[in-house]
Amino acid sequence: MRGLIVTEFMSLDGVIDSPGGGAHPHAGWTFKDVEMDQAAYELKGREQKEAGAMLIGRVSYDEFAPVWPSMEEFPEYNAMPKYVVSSTLTDPQWHNTTVLRSLDEVAELKQGDGGPILVHGSATLAQGLASAGLVDRYHLLIFPVILGSGKRLFAIEGADKQKLTLVEHATYANGIQMAVYRPLRSCTVARSCWG
């Protein structure tokens, strides 16, 4: 069974919207508002090397696909299989991309062999995966910025309470906090827990 990791840049008030660019009024808040400290991004480099696939939603696909293939800092992401959960995308142009139509197909993907599946961006997808009990870990880089508005990772109306356990953490000189959480849930023979 493959693990599914939701990995996000997040503001202190839980916003994951437009960290590098996009439509949010404060787009680019990760590099515009916080001093660079390369050590804070070690987790991202580790993820890229260990991951077996990337899973994103349609909006993130539309933002990433035109840009990431030409970025030299993402060679593993560009080479690995990519999956887009979308009911409308029919002909993905990003190399090695497959369209999935439902969370049931994501659950099937998890049952296969290979390295962890990383979910980048995609607030709505991450919330759906959490509600379906498919998230095995959260990798969060929490920035010392309060944005006040925007898409939030944990804005799941009507969702059940979810307890998490902290499995790794660090704080960096620029105020960024790294936190790796694992959802606590019972593991059954039919559905073993990963990580």
Side-chain angles (χ1 to χ4, degrees):
M1 179 176 202
R2 305 172 80 169
L4 193 144
I5 300 169
V6 172
T7 179
E8 301 289 354
F9 295 124
M10 189 167 79
S11 69
L12 198 57
D13 57 340
V15 175
I16 62 171
D17 201 339
S18 307
H24 190 276
H26 303 294
W29 49 269
T30 57
F31 63 88
K32 289 179 182 175
D33 298 323
V34 178
E35 182 181 328
M36 179 62 167
D37 182 346
Q38 195 60 42
Y41 297 91
E42 182 275 334
L43 177 64
K44 295 299 178 184
R46 189 174 5 139
E47 288 172 349
Q48 190 176 169
K49 288 183 177 16
E50 294 173 357
M54 183 190 309
L55 177 68
I56 53 179
R58 175 64 188 263
V59 172
S60 293
Y61 172 83
D62 287 343
E63 290 176 4
F64 294 175
V67 180
W68 281 27
S70 63
M71 297 179 77
E72 292 179 13
E73 57 266 39
F74 299 131
E76 286 89 356
Y77 288 146
N78 285 315
M80 75 177 56
K82 290 162 283 299
Y83 298 89
V84 181
V85 180
S86 172
S87 61
T88 58
L89 183 63
T90 56
D91 187 26
Q93 299 301 304
W94 195 359
H95 169 73
N96 210 7
T97 298
T98 302
V99 177
L100 304 178
R101 298 292 182 205
S102 69
L103 293 181
D104 288 337
E105 289 186 49
V106 174
E108 288 175 24
L109 179 65
K110 279 189 66 174
Q111 296 302 316
D113 294 326
I117 302 164
L118 293 179
V119 179
H120 283 275
S122 304
T124 303
L125 175 59
Q127 292 168 9
L129 294 166
S131 292
L134 295 173
V135 177
D136 296 296
R137 251 194 268 151
Y138 292 97
H139 288 187
L140 306 176
L141 287 181
I142 304 162
F143 286 69
V145 174
I146 295 174
L147 298 174
S149 67
K151 296 176 186 172
R152 298 184 192 293
L153 179 58
F154 300 112
I156 309 168
E157 249 342 279
D160 291 336
K161 177 175 70 174
Q162 174 69 66
K163 183 154 174 46
L164 307 173
T165 187
L166 183 66
V167 296
E168 183 180 354
H169 64 91
T171 302
Y172 302 96
N174 61 358
I176 293 175
Q177 299 173 53
M178 180 264 289
V180 175
Y181 291 100
R182 183 173 46 83
L184 293 178
R185 59 179 175 254
S186 62
C187 302
T188 63
V189 174
R191 188 181 132 164
S192 62
C193 290
W194 178 88

